[in-house]
Amino acid sequence: MAASGCRGVRSILWKNRSCGKNVCVPRSKMVPQLPVRQIYVSSSLWKKNLAAAGPQKFTQEFIDKQVEEFEVGKRHLANMMEEDPETFTQEDIDRSIAYLFPSGLFEKRARPFMKHPEEIFPKQTAIQWDAKGRPFHFLFYTGKQSYYSLLHDVYEKILAIERHQDKMRNKGLFTSDTKQILLTGSRWLLKEEIEENLVENISDQDYMRLIQLMEKLLSMPYCSLEKEFILKFRKQLEVQSSKYEIPALQYDPQGVAFSVADGRRKTAKASITLRDSGSGNITINGRNYLHYFPVLQNRVQLMFPLLFVGMMGRFDIEGSVEGSGHSAQAGALRLAISRALLSFVSEGEVEKMRQAGLLTADPRIRERKKP
Amino acid sequence: MAAGVLTGVRQVLRGPRLVSAVFSCHGQTFSSAAAAVKSPAAATDTAATEKILNFPLTQPDYFRLSELFTMKDLFEARVHLGHKKGCRHRLMGPYLFGSRLDIDIIDLEQTAEHLQRALNFTAHVAYRGGIILLVSRRRQFGHLIETTAQECGEYAHTRYWKGGLLTNASIQYSPGVRLPDLIVFFSTLNNVFQQHVGIRDAAKINIPTVGIVDSNCNPSLITYPVPGNDDTPVAMEMYCRLFKMTINRAKDKRRQMELLKGISASV
């Protein structure tokens, strides 16, 4: 465009020069022409600064349209797979897509998927003020409205309890030994969990302040009035030992109880049958354990679970093991024996075994060779 | 719309000592309140709205705020008690009677006059739908001020004031945020006895401020200073009560006028 303009100007200039030679052009018609300088600019001036724009924002209409398209697509998919469109769940969608578009890619997230737009598009914070521009929340101008409003509520409850205390004192019914809230077996929510609840980022000092206020609330005699509120901020710690799968106790035709369990260590795999009312015989791969494990250390590994529980001479152990070396096989057998013992032992003992490390599989494996 | 709230108010209520050439509010400049051209179809409607907005400005005490407090109330709430003579700020001299037993005594006649002016301004801002931000950094009264703000439907900020809340608003909040039209400081000092950052920022952004200045505070950058005690709970409760009543009165009056306009328009 600039070049053509230049050419145009240059042609006018030339025309004027030529006119000046032959024909007298009236002065008023002559437009004073300034010499044109071509300016060269790079295309980066016209390119948008994509980094400065921030994360891409989607309008609500766009997301609504996507949701509509998803619902229609879901029905089409159900028809394609000859299933009922009404009862087509997300798992069915995943299964159908995996069937229709088989992919050999290792990365699961790179494979084709069809999910609800809510899960794909990032959640954007809704506009926080009304049509006139007035914010909805009264603490909007602090910047951290949810966090400060939480502190406000906690302080409100502290004041309410103090007023209650004063009332009881006036009536003469004040006692310090009121019902206390049980806090054992639970912990305060972590900073990340509170950030999730508030949908806001808070700093470490803010988190400490919140916990301090909650502790203050707990320190008051009549804190049981606000029990549900406090328990919302505490998370129950799950009992670790309940996670273990206890092998079922089986009975053979003679009525003798036995349990079967597996264990692994490095590349050794072991399988154990623990029979009750035995005399402490241990048979591995058809041979006596004295023959199979000449080294004392390995035999100690086998006996340790029984020694720990105090049932040394009670069981008959029959095991098969393969792979790896003698120490790893002993370790695998030990884990299998501990797991089999779980069905013969009480809850408290299970927890003790867990704390002794008998039920933890040793995660160490051989590290590869590096040059 | 936000800008229109304050232009008319400031032109009338500001004393002759302040020069008002061109008001720029939130970056938009206005020379008169009714500069826009209106379509003939909505002429009657806008005429009624203008009457609602402009008529209160012609009256000296439209909301009858002088009935809300007397000097005796101020005295009983211990508003006249300042800090020790050694803590006195140079510029607070004119507002004080002097000192008795080394404690500065604030002149309640001046306080009453200033308080009346401040409450009147607050009422007019609330009447025109302006955003009022109640600020204080005293931890003793933070909860009280937040509750007051909640009860009158306005906003409060009694927490740590982050640097660019007013000056860098489009980044601190979101672009297109509406800033407060009036900031009321219940105590102009922060916890380390320095002037609150909000006073300087509001002056930079042309947001009018109302402030309770004690004898150790600097009243210079505050639009409507009210010399008075900011340390006693009784005094703070009284201020909160007064501001809450003013704002509620003004908003109720506005609702009343809108209803009357609706009735007269339908009739």
Side-chain angles (χ1 to χ4, degrees):
Chain A
M1 225 269 317
S4 59
C6 256
R7 262 184 256 119
V9 166
R10 268 194 240 113
S11 64
I12 291 170
L13 275 171
W14 189 82
K15 272 198 206 129
N16 277 348
R17 256 188 293 130
S18 59
C19 286
K21 274 188 206 159
N22 306 327
V23 180
C24 262
V25 180
R27 205 115 180 114
S28 54
K29 284 217 181 113
M30 261 179 60
V31 177
Q33 298 292 335
L34 294 165
V36 170
R37 202 174 349 135
Q38 263 185 322
I39 302 169
Y40 293 95
V41 291
S42 74
S43 55
S44 60
L45 268 189
W46 289 294
K47 279 203 197 126
K48 243 185 350 177
N49 186 355
L50 295 168
Q56 196 181 4
K57 288 190 180 53
F58 303 99
T59 53
Q60 194 53 40
E61 304 101 54
F62 176 79
I63 297 204
D64 291 334
K65 201 158 67 77
Q66 296 294 315
V67 174
E68 238 179 78
E69 281 177 18
F70 173 79
E71 295 298 330
V72 166
K74 196 167 89 160
R75 296 187 79 88
H76 276 307
L77 190 60
N79 286 330
M80 263 191 264
M81 301 298 288
E82 283 161 6
E83 289 192 31
D84 183 18
E86 305 299 328
T87 55
F88 206 56
T89 59
Q90 186 59 46
E91 283 117 36
D92 297 325
I93 295 177
D94 294 333
R95 208 171 19 88
S96 322
I97 297 287
Y99 171 72
L100 290 168
F101 302 99
S103 162
L105 295 172
F106 288 115
E107 176 63 65
K108 297 265 187 342
R109 287 176 292 183
R111 294 183 185 171
F113 64 89
M114 182 168 154
K115 287 210 154 48
H116 193 85
E118 295 279 292
E119 291 166 48
I120 301 175
F121 294 103
K123 285 211 178 66
Q124 281 146 105
T125 49
I127 289 290
Q128 291 173 314
W129 49 81
D130 59 15
K132 293 208 181 127
R134 291 187 71 103
F136 295 122
H137 201 277
F138 78 108
L139 289 177
F140 170 77
Y141 288 106
T142 55
K144 298 186 229 183
Q145 60 185 51
S146 334
Y147 169 71
Y148 286 130
S149 112
L150 178 60
L151 287 189
H152 180 83
D153 293 334
V154 177
Y155 195 71
E156 185 87 51
K157 296 199 188 303
I158 292 177
L159 288 179
I161 293 181
E162 279 181 359
R163 264 178 264 133
H164 181 78
Q165 263 178 19
D166 292 338
K167 249 198 307 188
M168 299 302 266
R169 272 215 187 86
N170 287 341
K171 286 192 206 163
L173 298 166
F174 179 76
T175 42
S176 313
D177 54 330
T178 45
K179 194 163 60 117
Q180 293 300 313
I181 304 174
L182 272 175
L183 293 173
T184 51
S186 61
R187 59 165 173 84
W188 288 119
L189 284 181
L190 294 173
K191 186 182 124 171
E192 286 75 23
E193 287 158 351
I194 291 189
E195 278 184 351
E196 234 178 303
N197 287 348
L198 298 177
V199 194
E200 234 177 34
N201 289 335
I202 55 176
S203 72
D204 292 325
Q205 294 93 338
D206 294 338
Y207 175 69
M208 293 314 303
R209 179 85 196 106
L210 177 64
I211 300 296
Q212 271 172 9
L213 262 180
M214 299 299 290
E215 296 279 350
K216 174 164 174 157
L217 187 56
L218 279 173
S219 70
M220 308 178 88
Y222 287 94
C223 57
S224 51
L225 292 170
E226 303 296 341
K227 185 169 172 184
E228 329 84 56
F229 179 76
I230 296 175
L231 287 177
K232 261 192 274 181
F233 293 91
R234 289 207 67 109
K235 190 163 174 187
Q236 291 296 119
L237 292 162
E238 29 179 67
V239 183
Q240 300 286 4
S241 55
S242 59
K243 280 196 286 192
Y244 289 102
E245 202 192 286
I246 302 172
L249 201 59
Q250 297 160 60
Y251 292 90
D252 72 3
Q254 276 81 39
V256 175
F258 73 97
S259 66
V260 180
D262 292 329
R264 268 199 280 194
R265 171 91 213 275
K266 280 194 196 169
T267 29
K269 289 199 236 304
S271 175
I272 284 279
T273 313
L274 210 66
R275 266 174 235 281
D276 207 351
S277 16
S279 50
N281 300 331
I282 306 182
T283 317
I284 304 171
N285 283 356
R287 292 153 72 192
N288 197 3
Y289 74 121
L290 241 96
H291 297 313
Y292 196 80
F293 286 125
V295 182
L296 176 67
Q297 187 191 310
N298 300 335
R299 293 198 297 273
V300 166
Q301 288 288 303
L302 285 192
M303 289 192 282
F304 177 53
L306 299 169
L307 187 63
F308 185 81
V309 209
M311 300 176 180
M312 276 292 283
R314 183 171 149 187
F315 295 100
D316 262 342
I317 302 174
E318 192 186 303
S320 63
V321 69
E322 56 175 2
S324 210
H326 59 93
S327 280
Q329 284 182 347
L333 281 165
R334 181 182 115 159
L335 183 61
I337 293 173
S338 321
R339 284 189 184 156
L341 266 179
L342 288 179
S343 43
F344 289 97
V345 125
S346 65
E347 272 286 324
E349 286 285 317
V350 166
E351 182 61 27
K352 279 194 201 163
M353 282 174 77
R354 181 192 76 86
Q355 287 185 1
L358 279 169
L359 301 172
T360 322
D362 199 330
R364 297 178 287 174
I365 57 165
R366 203 199 70 175
E367 196 177 312
R368 61 149 268 206
K369 167 87 182 71
K370 296 146 199 151
Chain B
M1 195 253 135
V5 168
L6 286 172
T7 46
V9 185
R10 274 132 125 236
Q11 277 164 349
V12 174
L13 294 179
R14 276 232 182 127
R17 62 178 199 271
L18 289 164
V19 180
S20 49
V22 170
F23 283 103
S24 75
C25 197
H26 310 282
Q28 295 164 315
T29 15
F30 283 79
S31 50
S32 85
V37 176
K38 295 163 213 45
S39 66
T44 41
D45 202 32
T46 42
T49 319
E50 275 194 29
K51 195 162 167 302
I52 293 180
L53 290 178
N54 293 341
F55 177 68
L57 299 175
T58 57
Q59 316 280 303
D61 193 11
Y62 184 68
F63 301 99
R64 296 198 309 273
L65 300 165
S66 38
E67 351 171 303
L68 286 180
F69 67 96
T70 58
M71 228 157 70
K72 188 159 188 300
D73 292 334
L74 292 180
F75 180 80
E76 272 160 15
R78 303 184 220 158
V79 166
H80 59 289
L81 297 172
H83 288 269
K84 291 273 192 185
K85 198 165 71 176
C87 301
R88 190 197 296 196
H89 191 95
R90 187 170 56 89
L91 297 168
M92 286 300 287
Y95 298 122
L96 305 174
F97 264 141
S99 58
R100 168 114 172 115
L101 294 174
D102 218 26
I103 296 179
D104 282 335
I105 306 294
I106 298 170
D107 186 359
L108 282 182
E109 281 181 9
Q110 292 189 52
T111 300
E113 205 184 290
H114 281 91
L115 188 57
Q116 168 67 26
R117 258 186 254 159
L119 288 177
N120 195 21
F121 185 71
T122 318
H124 280 274
V125 171
Y127 180 82
R128 295 163 87 87
I131 294 180
I132 302 179
L133 185 62
L134 310 181
V135 176
S136 165
R137 200 55 181 103
R138 292 199 70 110
R139 290 174 55 182
Q140 211 179 351
F141 308 117
H143 186 86
L144 172 68
I145 288 163
E146 286 183 344
T147 331
T148 316
Q150 232 174 351
E151 282 162 12
C152 54
E154 296 296 340
Y155 306 87
H157 186 114
T158 56
R159 309 285 176 172
Y160 175 72
W161 182 279
K162 271 169 94 166
L165 282 189
L166 293 178
T167 43
N168 202 12
S170 58
I171 298 178
Q172 288 283 351
Y173 308 113
S174 312
V177 71
R178 180 177 157 189
L179 286 179
D181 299 304
L182 170 66
I183 303 187
V184 180
F185 286 92
F186 283 90
S187 148
T188 49
L189 297 181
N190 63 16
N191 289 334
V192 279
F193 301 106
Q194 287 167 349
Q195 203 189 34
H196 199 289
V197 180
I199 299 175
R200 189 203 67 192
D201 283 353
K204 277 190 187 176
I205 310 252
N206 283 344
I207 297 176
T209 44
V210 166
I212 313 277
V213 281
D214 206 348
S215 63
N216 58 352
C217 307
N218 183 356
S220 32
L221 280 176
I222 301 168
T223 335
Y224 289 91
V226 177
N229 190 1
D230 63 5
D231 302 286
T232 325
V234 202
M236 289 303 274
E237 276 164 23
M238 201 193 80
Y239 297 135
C240 286
R241 207 179 57 238
L242 284 176
F243 277 96
K244 186 169 70 169
M245 277 158 63
T246 338
I247 294 171
N248 284 335
R249 240 188 223 202
K251 286 184 171 173
D252 290 336
K253 192 79 190 185
R254 179 59 186 266
R255 269 190 287 263
Q256 208 180 38
M257 299 299 270
E258 295 281 336
L259 274 171
L260 284 173
K261 181 183 99 167
I263 292 168
S264 63
S266 62
V267 161

